[in-house]
Amino acid sequence: MPTIITATQLRKVLGVSVSLYDDAYLDQIIDTAEGVILPMLQELETGDYSDDSRVQSAVYTVSVEVFQARVASGGQIEGIDFASTPFRMGRSLWNKCAGLLGALVDVDTIAQ
């Protein structure tokens, strides 16, 4: 179950209706995004990232990319210049989030 953002919040960002993509489908996408982001972060004393706008933004970023990867035909999405490009699920996605999460990243996990 998602803890950082909700299916309703993601639905608003994606601009999709509940009749097209139900909460369970969007929850899977959010769970995937949280599974990517949360293990990379330092353990906070409170252990709760849901109030941190930087973490929320990173989860939104990954969620949108996962959504596009799932719904784009052939794994291709249309870039801002309307050219088809492969979905961006690799290092470039981490680079997108690095600026948001820089102060929260657990550097000990990077060194391993």
Side-chain angles (χ1 to χ4, degrees):
M1 188 73 183
T3 58
I4 306 297
I5 62 174
T6 65
T8 302
Q9 291 171 314
L10 181 58
R11 184 175 289 108
K12 287 179 184 177
V13 168
L14 295 172
V16 296
S17 70
V18 69
S19 61
L20 191 56
Y21 298 103
D22 64 1
D23 284 354
Y25 184 78
L26 295 180
D27 282 346
Q28 289 176 352
I29 291 171
I30 296 167
D31 283 338
T32 300
E34 289 181 1
V36 169
I37 297 296
L38 294 179
M40 292 187 239
L41 304 179
Q42 295 177 15
E43 186 66 33
L44 296 179
E45 290 177 16
T46 59
D48 179 15
Y49 291 105
S50 61
D51 293 336
D52 194 312
S53 62
R54 298 168 294 183
V55 176
Q56 289 173 352
S57 294
V59 171
Y60 277 123
T61 300
V62 175
S63 294
V64 168
E65 294 296 334
V66 170
F67 177 81
Q68 289 181 342
R70 286 187 177 184
V71 300
S73 60
Q76 299 283 319
I77 61 171
E78 198 169 273
I80 197 162
D81 59 355
F82 303 106
S84 270
T85 58
F87 60 90
R88 301 166 298 249
M89 296 297 292
R91 185 128 175 96
S92 63
L93 183 57
W94 168 249
N95 290 338
K96 281 177 141 179
C97 297
L100 295 168
L101 301 173
L104 300 172
V105 173
D106 184 359
V107 293
D108 290 336
T109 61
I110 295 173
Q112 293 179 355

